[in-house]
Amino acid sequence: MPGDLAKTDSEASSLSQSSPPRSPRRQMYYVQSPSRDSHDGEKTTNSFNSTPVLSPTHSHSNSSLGPHSSRESSSTRLSKHHGSRKPRTNKQSWKEFDAIEEEALLDGEAAHHALHRRRCYFVAFLVGFFVLFTTFSLILWGASRLQKPKITMKSISFNEFVVQAGADFSGVSTEMVSMNCTVKLTYRNTATFFGVHVTSTPLRLSYSQLTVATGSIHKFYQSRKSQRALIVMMKGNHIPLYGGGASLASLNGAPTQPVPLALDFMVRSRAYVLGKLVKPKFYKRIQCWVTMDPKKMSKAISLKNKCSYS
Protein backbone atom coordinates (compact mmCIF):
# COMPACT_ATOMS: atom_id res chain seq x y z
CA MET A 1 0.00 0.00 0.00
CA PRO A 2 2.74 2.49 0.81
CA GLY A 3 4.33 1.49 -2.49
CA ASP A 4 1.19 2.31 -4.45
CA LEU A 5 0.90 5.66 -2.82
CA ALA A 6 4.48 6.40 -3.62
CA LYS A 7 3.90 5.42 -7.29
CA THR A 8 0.88 7.63 -7.46
CA ASP A 9 2.69 10.56 -6.04
CA SER A 10 5.59 10.07 -8.43
CA GLU A 11 3.26 9.86 -11.44
CA ALA A 12 1.42 12.96 -10.33
CA SER A 13 4.68 14.83 -9.92
CA SER A 14 5.91 13.69 -13.36
CA LEU A 15 2.66 14.77 -15.02
CA SER A 16 2.75 18.07 -13.27
CA GLN A 17 6.34 18.60 -14.47
CA SER A 18 5.66 17.52 -18.07
CA SER A 19 2.44 19.57 -18.60
CA PRO A 20 3.04 23.29 -19.06
CA PRO A 21 1.32 25.79 -16.88
CA ARG A 22 -2.20 26.67 -18.08
CA SER A 23 -2.33 29.94 -19.83
CA PRO A 24 -4.90 32.53 -18.91
CA ARG A 25 -8.18 32.56 -20.88
CA ARG A 26 -7.68 33.97 -24.36
CA GLN A 27 -9.31 37.21 -25.46
CA MET A 28 -11.46 37.42 -28.60
CA TYR A 29 -12.64 40.30 -30.83
CA TYR A 30 -15.12 40.37 -33.72
CA VAL A 31 -14.79 41.57 -37.36
CA GLN A 32 -17.99 42.46 -39.16
CA SER A 33 -18.21 41.61 -42.89
CA PRO A 34 -21.15 42.32 -45.24
CA SER A 35 -23.14 39.27 -46.20
CA ARG A 36 -23.76 38.48 -49.89
CA ASP A 37 -27.07 39.30 -51.47
CA SER A 38 -29.41 36.45 -52.06
CA HIS A 39 -29.84 35.19 -55.65
CA ASP A 40 -33.64 35.26 -55.68
CA GLY A 41 -33.61 38.71 -57.33
CA GLU A 42 -34.95 40.50 -54.22
CA LYS A 43 -33.08 43.42 -52.72
CA THR A 44 -31.96 42.94 -49.15
CA THR A 45 -30.46 45.36 -46.74
CA ASN A 46 -26.82 45.05 -45.89
CA SER A 47 -26.39 42.79 -42.87
CA PHE A 48 -23.25 42.08 -40.98
CA ASN A 49 -22.11 38.71 -39.61
CA SER A 50 -19.80 38.49 -36.67
CA THR A 51 -16.84 36.19 -36.99
CA PRO A 52 -14.61 35.61 -34.01
CA VAL A 53 -10.96 36.29 -34.64
CA LEU A 54 -8.21 35.55 -32.22
CA SER A 55 -6.20 38.34 -30.77
CA PRO A 56 -2.61 38.37 -32.08
CA THR A 57 -1.23 38.60 -28.60
CA HIS A 58 -2.83 35.30 -27.61
CA SER A 59 -2.16 33.26 -30.74
CA HIS A 60 0.51 31.22 -28.98
CA SER A 61 -1.73 30.41 -26.09
CA ASN A 62 -4.51 29.38 -28.49
CA SER A 63 -2.24 26.78 -30.08
CA SER A 64 -1.79 25.17 -26.71
CA LEU A 65 -5.43 24.19 -26.55
CA GLY A 66 -4.80 21.27 -28.87
CA PRO A 67 -6.42 20.02 -32.06
CA HIS A 68 -9.80 19.52 -30.53
CA SER A 69 -10.31 23.18 -29.65
CA SER A 70 -9.06 24.35 -33.09
CA ARG A 71 -11.43 22.03 -34.91
CA GLU A 72 -14.26 23.21 -32.74
CA SER A 73 -13.57 26.88 -33.44
CA SER A 74 -13.23 26.31 -37.23
CA SER A 75 -16.48 24.37 -37.33
CA THR A 76 -18.15 27.13 -35.38
CA ARG A 77 -16.92 29.73 -37.86
CA LEU A 78 -17.99 27.70 -40.86
CA SER A 79 -21.40 27.11 -39.40
CA LYS A 80 -21.82 30.82 -38.74
CA HIS A 81 -20.49 31.78 -42.16
CA HIS A 82 -22.74 29.37 -44.03
CA GLY A 83 -25.65 30.15 -41.82
CA SER A 84 -25.64 33.75 -43.02
CA ARG A 85 -26.31 32.67 -46.68
CA LYS A 86 -29.65 31.63 -48.01
CA PRO A 87 -29.54 28.37 -49.91
CA ARG A 88 -29.90 28.74 -53.72
CA THR A 89 -32.15 26.12 -55.20
CA ASN A 90 -32.15 24.82 -58.77
CA LYS A 91 -35.70 26.06 -59.17
CA GLN A 92 -34.63 29.66 -58.60
CA SER A 93 -31.74 29.27 -61.08
CA TRP A 94 -34.09 27.93 -63.79
CA LYS A 95 -36.54 30.76 -63.10
CA GLU A 96 -33.79 33.33 -63.56
CA PHE A 97 -32.57 31.66 -66.77
CA ASP A 98 -36.10 31.49 -68.17
CA ALA A 99 -36.70 35.16 -67.37
CA ILE A 100 -33.46 36.23 -69.09
CA GLU A 101 -34.15 34.04 -72.09
CA GLU A 102 -37.71 35.35 -72.42
CA GLU A 103 -36.53 38.95 -72.15
CA ALA A 104 -33.90 38.35 -74.85
CA LEU A 105 -36.49 36.77 -77.11
CA LEU A 106 -38.86 39.70 -76.59
CA ASP A 107 -36.10 42.22 -77.34
CA GLY A 108 -35.09 40.33 -80.47
CA GLU A 109 -38.67 40.07 -81.64
CA ALA A 110 -39.26 43.79 -81.05
CA ALA A 111 -36.11 44.68 -83.00
CA HIS A 112 -37.18 42.38 -85.83
CA HIS A 113 -40.63 43.96 -85.95
CA ALA A 114 -39.12 47.46 -85.96
CA LEU A 115 -36.77 46.55 -88.83
CA HIS A 116 -39.66 44.96 -90.73
CA ARG A 117 -41.77 48.11 -90.25
CA ARG A 118 -38.95 50.31 -91.52
CA ARG A 119 -38.56 48.13 -94.59
CA CYS A 120 -42.29 48.26 -95.23
CA TYR A 121 -42.30 52.06 -94.88
CA PHE A 122 -39.36 52.34 -97.28
CA VAL A 123 -40.99 50.07 -99.86
CA ALA A 124 -44.30 51.92 -99.49
CA PHE A 125 -42.50 55.24 -99.95
CA LEU A 126 -40.78 54.00 -103.11
CA VAL A 127 -44.02 52.60 -104.54
CA GLY A 128 -45.93 55.78 -103.69
CA PHE A 129 -43.23 58.00 -105.15
CA PHE A 130 -43.10 55.90 -108.32
CA VAL A 131 -46.87 56.00 -108.73
CA LEU A 132 -47.06 59.76 -108.13
CA PHE A 133 -44.12 60.48 -110.40
CA THR A 134 -45.53 58.26 -113.15
CA THR A 135 -48.95 59.88 -112.85
CA PHE A 136 -47.42 63.35 -112.95
CA SER A 137 -45.31 62.41 -115.98
CA LEU A 138 -48.33 61.02 -117.81
CA ILE A 139 -50.29 64.18 -117.08
CA LEU A 140 -47.46 66.32 -118.45
CA TRP A 141 -47.09 64.09 -121.50
CA GLY A 142 -50.83 64.19 -122.22
CA ALA A 143 -50.98 67.95 -121.78
CA SER A 144 -47.95 68.50 -124.00
CA ARG A 145 -49.33 66.31 -126.78
CA LEU A 146 -52.29 68.62 -127.14
CA GLN A 147 -50.08 71.66 -127.69
CA LYS A 148 -48.75 70.88 -131.14
CA PRO A 149 -46.67 73.39 -133.10
CA LYS A 150 -48.27 75.09 -136.06
CA ILE A 151 -46.56 75.47 -139.44
CA THR A 152 -47.95 77.75 -142.15
CA MET A 153 -46.60 77.89 -145.69
CA LYS A 154 -46.61 81.45 -146.98
CA SER A 155 -45.22 81.76 -150.49
CA ILE A 156 -42.71 80.62 -153.04
CA SER A 157 -40.93 82.76 -155.64
CA PHE A 158 -38.95 81.49 -158.63
CA ASN A 159 -35.84 83.52 -159.29
CA GLU A 160 -34.41 81.39 -162.09
CA PHE A 161 -35.58 78.51 -164.24
CA VAL A 162 -33.40 77.50 -167.19
CA VAL A 163 -33.81 74.52 -169.51
CA GLN A 164 -30.87 73.55 -171.70
CA ALA A 165 -29.40 70.56 -173.45
CA GLY A 166 -26.55 68.70 -171.80
CA ALA A 167 -25.18 65.37 -170.72
CA ASP A 168 -25.15 63.57 -167.37
CA PHE A 169 -22.04 62.26 -165.59
CA SER A 170 -22.07 59.13 -167.76
CA GLY A 171 -22.18 61.12 -170.97
CA VAL A 172 -25.82 60.51 -171.88
CA SER A 173 -27.40 63.47 -173.72
CA THR A 174 -30.55 64.87 -172.10
CA GLU A 175 -32.38 68.04 -171.18
CA MET A 176 -31.05 69.66 -168.00
CA VAL A 177 -32.60 72.18 -165.60
CA SER A 178 -30.95 74.81 -163.43
CA MET A 179 -33.11 76.79 -161.05
CA ASN A 180 -33.39 78.51 -157.68
CA CYS A 181 -36.35 79.68 -155.66
CA THR A 182 -37.25 81.04 -152.25
CA VAL A 183 -39.77 79.47 -149.87
CA LYS A 184 -41.27 81.38 -146.97
CA LEU A 185 -43.09 79.84 -144.00
CA THR A 186 -43.80 80.51 -140.33
CA TYR A 187 -43.28 78.22 -137.34
CA ARG A 188 -45.29 78.80 -134.18
CA ASN A 189 -44.87 77.04 -130.85
CA THR A 190 -48.29 76.98 -129.17
CA ALA A 191 -47.09 75.34 -125.96
CA THR A 192 -47.56 77.31 -122.76
CA PHE A 193 -44.94 75.65 -120.56
CA PHE A 194 -42.16 74.22 -122.75
CA GLY A 195 -39.98 75.06 -125.72
CA VAL A 196 -39.16 72.84 -128.67
CA HIS A 197 -36.09 71.89 -130.69
CA VAL A 198 -36.87 71.94 -134.42
CA THR A 199 -35.20 70.11 -137.28
CA SER A 200 -36.33 69.30 -140.81
CA THR A 201 -35.72 66.92 -143.66
CA PRO A 202 -34.38 68.52 -146.85
CA LEU A 203 -37.01 70.38 -148.85
CA ARG A 204 -37.42 68.77 -152.24
CA LEU A 205 -38.94 70.43 -155.29
CA SER A 206 -39.70 67.86 -157.96
CA TYR A 207 -40.87 67.81 -161.58
CA SER A 208 -42.39 64.58 -162.91
CA GLN A 209 -41.06 62.78 -159.83
CA LEU A 210 -37.56 64.08 -160.51
CA THR A 211 -35.99 66.33 -157.87
CA VAL A 212 -34.91 69.59 -159.51
CA ALA A 213 -34.09 71.66 -156.42
CA THR A 214 -33.35 71.09 -152.71
CA GLY A 215 -33.05 73.20 -149.57
CA SER A 216 -32.81 72.75 -145.81
CA ILE A 217 -33.98 74.34 -142.57
CA HIS A 218 -31.25 74.78 -140.01
CA LYS A 219 -31.89 73.42 -136.53
CA PHE A 220 -33.27 75.95 -134.07
CA TYR A 221 -34.99 76.27 -130.69
CA GLN A 222 -38.39 77.86 -130.33
CA SER A 223 -39.48 79.08 -126.90
CA ARG A 224 -42.99 78.71 -125.57
CA LYS A 225 -45.81 80.75 -127.07
CA SER A 226 -43.65 82.27 -129.78
CA GLN A 227 -43.17 82.07 -133.52
CA ARG A 228 -40.64 82.88 -136.20
CA ALA A 229 -40.55 83.41 -139.96
CA LEU A 230 -38.33 81.07 -141.96
CA ILE A 231 -36.85 81.67 -145.40
CA VAL A 232 -35.41 78.69 -147.26
CA MET A 233 -33.29 78.98 -150.41
CA MET A 234 -33.70 76.05 -152.80
CA LYS A 235 -31.27 75.41 -155.67
CA GLY A 236 -30.73 72.92 -158.42
CA ASN A 237 -27.82 72.98 -160.94
CA HIS A 238 -27.77 70.97 -164.16
CA ILE A 239 -30.32 68.41 -163.09
CA PRO A 240 -30.86 65.82 -165.85
CA LEU A 241 -34.51 65.30 -166.88
CA TYR A 242 -34.05 62.28 -169.12
CA GLY A 243 -37.46 61.30 -170.49
CA GLY A 244 -39.28 63.91 -168.43
CA GLY A 245 -37.83 66.74 -170.38
CA ALA A 246 -39.54 65.70 -173.62
CA SER A 247 -42.75 67.52 -172.65
CA LEU A 248 -40.93 70.59 -171.41
CA ALA A 249 -40.86 73.16 -174.19
CA SER A 250 -38.37 75.99 -173.95
CA LEU A 251 -37.13 78.96 -175.94
CA ASN A 252 -33.64 80.28 -175.45
CA GLY A 253 -33.47 78.28 -172.22
CA ALA A 254 -36.72 79.65 -170.80
CA PRO A 255 -39.83 77.51 -170.58
CA THR A 256 -42.69 78.59 -172.72
CA GLN A 257 -45.42 76.90 -170.67
CA PRO A 258 -46.27 76.72 -166.96
CA VAL A 259 -44.37 73.94 -165.20
CA PRO A 260 -46.16 71.92 -162.47
CA LEU A 261 -43.96 71.33 -159.41
CA ALA A 262 -44.38 69.61 -156.06
CA LEU A 263 -42.79 70.61 -152.76
CA ASP A 264 -42.35 67.98 -150.06
CA PHE A 265 -40.61 67.96 -146.64
CA MET A 266 -41.12 67.02 -142.96
CA VAL A 267 -40.59 69.14 -139.85
CA ARG A 268 -39.62 67.38 -136.61
CA SER A 269 -40.12 69.05 -133.23
CA ARG A 270 -39.02 67.68 -129.87
CA ALA A 271 -39.74 69.06 -126.41
CA TYR A 272 -38.02 68.23 -123.09
CA VAL A 273 -40.81 68.79 -120.60
CA LEU A 274 -39.33 66.84 -117.67
CA GLY A 275 -35.73 66.37 -118.63
CA LYS A 276 -35.34 63.34 -120.85
CA LEU A 277 -38.15 61.48 -119.10
CA VAL A 278 -41.02 63.36 -120.74
CA LYS A 279 -40.02 64.41 -124.26
CA PRO A 280 -42.96 64.54 -126.66
CA LYS A 281 -42.22 64.53 -130.37
CA PHE A 282 -44.20 66.22 -133.12
CA TYR A 283 -43.95 65.36 -136.80
CA LYS A 284 -45.50 67.44 -139.56
CA ARG A 285 -45.27 66.40 -143.17
CA ILE A 286 -45.97 69.19 -145.65
CA GLN A 287 -46.79 68.74 -149.34
CA CYS A 288 -47.50 71.67 -151.68
CA TRP A 289 -48.46 71.76 -155.37
CA VAL A 290 -47.42 74.86 -157.22
CA THR A 291 -47.12 75.94 -160.84
CA MET A 292 -44.13 77.88 -162.05
CA ASP A 293 -45.39 80.54 -164.47
CA PRO A 294 -42.68 81.99 -166.76
CA LYS A 295 -44.59 85.26 -166.76
CA LYS A 296 -44.36 85.61 -162.96
CA MET A 297 -40.67 85.15 -162.37
CA SER A 298 -39.34 86.62 -159.11
CA LYS A 299 -42.88 87.19 -157.90
CA ALA A 300 -44.20 85.57 -154.72
CA ILE A 301 -46.77 82.89 -155.37
CA SER A 302 -49.10 82.30 -152.46
CA LEU A 303 -49.20 78.78 -151.09
CA LYS A 304 -52.45 79.27 -149.22
CA ASN A 305 -54.84 76.36 -149.86
CA LYS A 306 -52.13 74.65 -151.93
CA CYS A 307 -50.53 72.58 -149.15
CA SER A 308 -51.50 69.63 -147.02
CA TYR A 309 -50.28 69.08 -143.43
CA SER A 310 -50.18 65.61 -141.96
Side-chain angles (χ1 to χ4, degrees):
M1 192 64 182
D4 294 336
L5 292 174
K7 183 178 179 180
T8 302
D9 295 334
S10 63
E11 291 177 355
S13 62
S14 63
L15 289 173
S16 62
Q17 292 176 1
S18 62
S19 60
R22 180 172 297 179
S23 60
R25 187 175 181 178
R26 55 180 179 161
Q27 297 181 359
M28 298 178 65
Y29 68 93
Y30 295 89
V31 175
Q32 292 181 342
S33 61
S35 63
R36 296 183 180 178
D37 296 331
S38 61
H39 296 277
D40 56 356
E42 297 179 357
K43 284 177 120 185
T44 57
T45 57
N46 292 332
S47 59
F48 297 87
N49 295 325
S50 299
T51 304
V53 180
L54 296 178
S55 173
T57 58
H58 297 82
S59 60
H60 178 73
S61 62
N62 184 41
S63 63
S64 65
L65 294 179
H68 179 72
S69 62
S70 64
R71 283 197 304 270
E72 181 180 0
S73 103
S74 63
S75 63
T76 303
R77 287 194 302 270
L78 287 174
S79 64
K80 287 183 179 182
H81 179 70
H82 289 291
S84 63
R85 295 184 181 180
K86 291 184 180 180
R88 181 177 180 179
T89 62
N90 291 333
K91 186 174 181 181
Q92 292 176 344
S93 300
W94 280 110
K95 284 183 178 180
E96 293 176 3
F97 178 76
D98 291 342
I100 295 173
E101 184 177 9
E102 183 178 1
E103 184 177 358
L105 289 174
L106 291 176
D107 292 341
E109 186 176 359
H112 177 72
H113 287 324
L115 180 61
H116 182 68
R117 283 197 301 270
R118 285 195 295 268
R119 288 178 178 175
C120 291
Y121 293 155
F122 181 71
V123 173
F125 171 76
L126 288 181
V127 172
F129 177 78
F130 178 77
V131 171
L132 291 176
F133 185 77
T134 303
T135 304
F136 179 69
S137 301
L138 290 175
I139 292 173
L140 287 179
W141 182 82
S144 64
R145 292 294 297 174
L146 298 177
Q147 303 182 23
K148 298 179 180 181
K150 187 177 180 180
I151 302 171
T152 305
M153 302 299 296
K154 292 296 186 179
S155 65
I156 182 170
S157 60
F158 295 94
N159 304 315
E160 180 184 11
F161 197 99
V162 178
V163 180
Q164 59 188 4
D168 63 3
F169 62 92
S170 63
V172 177
S173 298
T174 182
E175 296 290 334
M176 307 190 77
V177 173
S178 296
M179 64 163 297
N180 67 74
C181 62
T182 303
V183 177
K184 294 182 179 181
L185 66 151
T186 58
Y187 182 96
R188 182 184 179 191
N189 181 16
T190 61
T192 57
F193 59 92
F194 61 86
V196 290
H197 299 266
V198 184
T199 58
S200 171
T201 62
L203 282 73
R204 294 184 304 120
L205 190 65
S206 59
Y207 166 75
S208 186
Q209 297 183 354
L210 294 173
T211 302
V212 295
T214 59
S216 61
I217 298 176
H218 297 288
K219 182 179 178 180
F220 64 92
Y221 173 80
Q222 193 66 36
S223 59
R224 62 187 182 91
K225 298 185 69 175
S226 64
Q227 70 176 21
R228 72 172 58 192
L230 300 174
I231 299 176
V232 183
M233 300 296 296
M234 301 183 67
K235 294 181 179 181
N237 190 23
H238 295 90
I239 306 300
L241 298 177
Y242 299 110
S247 60
L248 187 61
S250 63
L251 180 63
N252 297 325
T256 58
Q257 299 177 8
V259 179
L261 299 171
L263 178 64
D264 182 28
F265 67 102
M266 178 179 288
V267 177
R268 295 185 293 254
S269 305
R270 174 177 293 180
Y272 296 95
V273 179
L274 193 63
K276 292 187 177 182
L277 297 176
V278 180
K279 48 181 183 179
K281 301 175 183 179
F282 307 95
Y283 297 95
K284 185 76 70 174
R285 184 178 181 181
I286 302 169
Q287 291 179 304
C288 301
W289 292 269
V290 63
T291 300
M292 193 280 299
D293 190 350
K295 297 178 181 180
K296 297 181 180 180
M297 296 298 292
S298 300
K299 291 182 179 180
I301 300 173
S302 177
L303 295 177
K304 185 178 181 180
N305 300 326
K306 294 181 180 179
C307 300
S308 65
Y309 305 90
S310 59

